[in-house]
Amino acid sequence: MYPRIRDLREDYDLTQREMGEILSCSQRVYSNYERGDLDIPTDILIKLAKFYHTSTDYILGLTDKR
């Protein structure tokens, strides 16, 4: 459901565990976000967009413009 957060994470050469630490969640929770098993909370979505210097629309797949 959220392949872009996986692609962005891999572009930055980060592990799921490292992203979990950045977002103050566990690796398991972050993995669930990437797989779409959990919806990404708004505050986490905003943190991701700021961290990757992109828009929330890009992460959600609403635009292809980074």
Side-chain angles (χ1 to χ4, degrees):
M1 183 171 183
Y2 298 109
R4 290 201 171 161
I5 64 169
R6 183 196 64 226
D7 294 341
L8 287 165
R9 177 181 57 78
E10 290 174 349
D11 288 348
Y12 278 67
D13 293 322
L14 295 168
T15 65
Q16 287 182 343
R17 182 177 180 200
E18 290 168 327
M19 278 310 302
E21 290 173 5
I22 290 165
L23 299 173
S24 301
C25 66
S26 69
Q27 178 274 329
R28 180 177 293 217
V29 168
Y30 183 80
S31 175
N32 286 334
Y33 294 152
E34 281 192 7
R35 287 194 318 267
D37 292 343
L38 286 176
D39 285 331
I40 301 173
T42 304
D43 63 320
I44 298 294
L45 182 62
I46 292 168
K47 284 182 183 180
L48 286 167
K50 286 182 178 181
F51 181 81
Y52 291 125
H53 307 286
T54 192
S55 69
T56 55
D57 284 352
Y58 178 77
I59 292 173
L60 295 172
L62 300 174
T63 183
D64 291 329
K65 184 178 178 186
R66 268 187 156 177

